Amino acid sequence: MKMKKRLLDGARLARTIRRLAIEIVERNKGTENLVITGIRSRGVPIAERIVKHIQEAEGVEVPLGILDITLYRDDLTTVAPQPLVKPSHFPCAIENKTVILIDDVLYTGRTVRAALDALIDYGRPRAIQLAALIDRGHRELPIHADFTGQVIPTDRSEVIKVKLQETDGEDEVLLMEK
Amino acid sequence: MRSQATALRSKDLLGIEQLTPEEISLILDTAEGFREVSERPIKKVPTLRGQLVINLFMEASTRTRVSFEIAEKRLSADTLNFSASGSSVEKGETLIDTAENLMAMQPDMIVIRHKHPGSPKMLADLLPASIINAGDGAHEHPTQALLDAFTIRERLGRLSGVNVSIIGDIAHSRVVRSNIHLLTKMKANVTLASPPTLMPAEIEKMGVRVVHSLDEALEGADVVMMLRIQLERQSKMTFPSLREYFNTFGLTPERLRRANGGAIVMHPGPMNRGVEISSDVADGPCSVILDQVTNGVAVRMAVLYLLAGGHLQES
């Protein structure tokens, strides 16, 4: 894969995540009953940062959940190699909470479909909202984000690579050609 | 991530002997992800929805069969249990005919236990379904060794360099053979102890140390794995009496003091209390016997999951 364009540098990426955090609190009229939930793998560090920004702005530590959707994928028997299964974790019951799902790139919507199924096996939230750092289009399911960092129109032959300090050693978003 | 392998090479799990250390680590790492599923309020994920798994148990089993069945159900597979008694096998059908008839019903996986070593391999060569060996004679019992390794890693944090002493009926045990393959591949130190009549000749060639007293085996052990005296497999008496066996090789709290501090006691079950292990040890603070059972479900879920997916081409 070769790089075509740098979509976001570290500073813009940081601002985008901070804005998502503020929008989430604003739209929900506060932090009460919120559970910020990162979808593995890169949704998790983004969710951690959102929790940190909310803490800074509101002085409240919102619970952070981690959701692994591997077991709910619809393409398991066709993909090789198998993705590694890691545990999901919630610090509290999600019953009657407002769960904000955090993902790095919203594309076909299949990851979010799997995440909704996975989430409901943990309980019945009052509402589920979706925040995506990048929305690149090409949805295959009727799913849309409630909070979007950046909308970036792409071609199917392109790949969006989100790099984060926590997982990749640096912050940037790249547009790659397959 | 500890493991480097990302998939198993084979469509089947016939034994530990064929696995690489990377594949063993992959199964154990994957099992860690599955343990959480059994702790949820809804203990079920849709991963194997629509897949048919046949449990073909041609020899008595409670723990292994139940554990496989729970693992299959938690992954949403359809399961079918087939045992020798009350089936066409009693009417004289051969294993191949039984398997081909079952295959005609298009199962995705077959879990097999059989008294003859090599039966899972025969089915694996013959059938397109994934075959999982749940114990074949005195040959291998791979998922037991994997759940033992998972339990050791969970308690002691590693396998490499751990001193594992396996004590009891070595000659008739498939568990011990799978465990020797696994533990030596993962660079643990294995010591075996049993009466000479229950120790196979030349087993040292598998890379293990052989001693003939319990105390010698316990000295410096981090893991004490007791094996069941398989009364049903003893063709001739290999020791004078059960009481004498207990006095010589039975594990008691006093004797366990020779092991290292923090040592764990394991048993693949079913236990003969008062024969190879005293109740004080089996129910004592060092015992991880029930953890082994809990971990068995997670390990079997991992195996089913990894075999159900796409396979890498063998090079």
Side-chain angles (χ1 to χ4, degrees):
Chain A
M1 268 194 302
K2 64 172 197 291
M3 207 228 322
K4 276 176 84 173
K5 197 179 162 194
R6 192 188 213 198
L7 298 168
L8 297 181
D9 61 13
R12 274 193 73 193
L13 180 62
R15 271 199 296 277
T16 306
I17 295 176
R18 203 175 315 128
R19 178 169 52 77
L20 282 175
I22 289 162
E23 281 182 12
I24 289 168
V25 177
E26 195 177 12
R27 188 95 51 93
N28 288 287
K29 300 187 177 70
T31 57
E32 207 182 336
N33 287 324
L34 288 189
V35 180
I36 305 290
T37 299
I39 301 175
R40 279 193 201 274
S41 52
R42 284 189 182 67
V44 177
I46 299 173
E48 283 168 356
R49 292 191 199 184
I50 288 175
V51 168
K52 211 174 104 228
H53 291 315
I54 294 177
Q55 164 107 53
E56 284 161 8
E58 302 285 315
V60 179
E61 194 178 340
V62 177
L64 172 73
I66 294 171
L67 195 62
D68 186 284
I69 57 116
T70 311
L71 299 171
Y72 295 82
R73 287 174 62 140
D74 57 9
D75 57 356
L76 265 188
T77 50
T78 52
V79 289
Q82 298 273 78
L84 188 69
V85 180
K86 292 185 180 163
S88 296
H89 173 76
F90 288 93
C92 57
I94 60 167
E95 206 72 28
N96 290 322
K97 297 282 168 54
T98 299
V99 176
I100 317 289
L101 285 174
I102 313 286
D103 201 3
D104 59 345
V105 179
L106 180 58
Y107 181 28
T108 60
R110 287 178 194 270
T111 300
V112 176
R113 198 280 311 159
L116 291 173
D117 279 356
L119 201 58
I120 278 159
D121 277 359
Y122 285 91
R124 187 177 184 277
R126 196 184 63 78
I128 303 174
Q129 298 168 2
L130 173 65
L133 183 64
I134 309 286
D135 181 350
R136 63 167 290 192
H138 303 289
R139 216 75 79 242
E140 293 169 6
L141 299 172
I143 279 169
H144 77 97
D146 300 281
F147 309 96
T148 311
Q150 305 282 338
V151 178
I152 295 171
T154 55
D155 194 89
R156 278 178 187 275
S157 66
E158 293 167 331
V159 173
I160 291 197
K161 175 87 188 130
V162 175
K163 291 172 127 185
L164 296 167
Q165 199 76 43
E166 296 88 330
T167 47
D168 313 278
E170 56 185 326
D171 275 358
E172 61 180 355
V173 179
L174 305 175
L175 183 65
M176 320 281 282
E177 181 77 50
K178 256 188 223 168
Chain B
M1 203 184 338
R2 268 172 288 188
S3 52
Q4 274 135 30
T6 52
L8 300 179
R9 290 169 302 150
S10 169
K11 76 172 173 69
D12 312 295
L13 178 66
L14 302 178
I16 301 293
E17 193 177 358
Q18 299 87 349
L19 296 180
T20 64
E22 292 75 28
E23 286 178 308
I24 293 168
S25 294
L26 172 68
I27 296 172
L28 299 180
D29 290 349
T30 304
E32 283 190 18
F34 277 106
R35 195 169 41 177
E36 181 263 335
V37 175
S38 298
E39 291 161 2
R40 298 182 188 181
I42 299 173
K43 300 174 186 61
K44 203 177 182 80
V45 290
T47 316
L48 296 189
R49 203 176 49 186
Q51 300 224 20
L52 174 61
V53 184
I54 295 183
N55 298 314
L56 186 60
F57 278 73
M58 313 297 271
E59 197 184 51
S61 163
T62 312
R63 202 175 329 263
T64 305
R65 185 175 54 75
V66 168
S67 178
F68 264 110
E69 206 178 328
I70 292 172
E72 291 152 10
K73 288 188 190 310
R74 292 207 174 141
L75 290 171
S76 302
D78 294 319
T79 65
L80 189 146
N81 295 317
F82 187 96
S83 55
S85 60
S87 75
S88 50
V89 176
E90 278 189 339
K91 299 173 189 162
E93 191 174 58
T94 67
L95 176 63
I96 289 182
D97 281 335
T98 304
E100 284 185 334
N101 275 281
L102 291 174
M103 201 59 223
M105 302 175 210
Q106 279 132 2
D108 299 281
M109 292 192 248
I110 298 177
V111 178
I112 177 175
R113 161 158 304 183
H114 200 284
K115 67 174 185 290
H116 291 308
S119 338
K121 167 90 170 81
M122 187 175 76
L123 293 194
D125 292 344
L126 195 71
L127 305 176
S130 287
I131 308 295
I132 300 174
N133 180 2
D136 56 339
H139 177 224
E140 281 232 40
H141 189 354
T143 55
Q144 177 70 43
L146 287 163
L147 74 88
D148 289 343
F150 184 88
T151 309
I152 295 171
R153 210 174 74 162
E154 176 182 48
R155 287 305 181 115
L156 305 178
R158 67 203 156 92
L159 291 170
S160 171
V162 170
N163 297 322
V164 183
S165 292
I166 309 178
I167 297 141
D169 187 349
I170 308 289
H172 297 91
S173 173
R174 52 188 167 222
V175 174
V176 79
R177 249 160 289 275
S178 287
N179 259 305
I180 291 173
H181 283 305
L182 192 152
L183 293 167
T184 54
K185 277 175 203 265
M186 303 310 279
K187 310 230 177 321
N189 309 311
V190 182
T191 300
L192 306 179
S194 81
T197 47
L198 290 175
M199 183 71 76
E202 304 199 39
I203 194 148
E204 298 91 336
K205 288 189 174 160
M206 291 183 80
V208 299
R209 184 171 76 108
V210 172
V211 298
H212 288 291
S213 90
L214 176 61
D215 289 344
E216 216 183 320
L218 292 175
E219 204 70 57
D222 301 306
V223 176
V224 181
M225 199 182 284
M226 302 306 293
L227 298 176
R228 183 170 67 97
I229 289 301
Q230 304 198 22
L231 302 166
E232 76 277 16
R233 285 188 213 273
Q234 312 277 6
S235 45
K236 54 183 186 290
M237 285 307 282
T238 45
F239 47 86
S241 71
L242 292 178
R243 174 176 293 201
E244 174 158 338
Y245 184 86
F246 181 70
N247 288 336
T248 330
F249 282 96
L251 187 62
T252 59
E254 297 73 42
R255 303 186 82 166
L256 183 58
R257 286 198 199 108
R258 289 180 178 270
N260 283 344
I264 55 172
V265 175
M266 309 178 75
H267 194 301
M271 281 186 281
N272 295 311
R273 288 172 184 260
V275 180
E276 68 266 1
I277 190 166
S278 75
S279 284
D280 290 340
V281 176
D283 307 325
C286 302
S287 168
V288 296
I289 295 169
L290 293 176
D291 296 304
Q292 288 174 267
V293 179
T294 304
N295 291 339
V297 174
V299 165
R300 291 180 174 114
M301 285 171 82
V303 168
L304 290 160
Y305 164 75
L306 289 168
L307 291 180
H311 299 286
L312 295 184
Q313 294 296 314
E314 279 212 61
S315 50

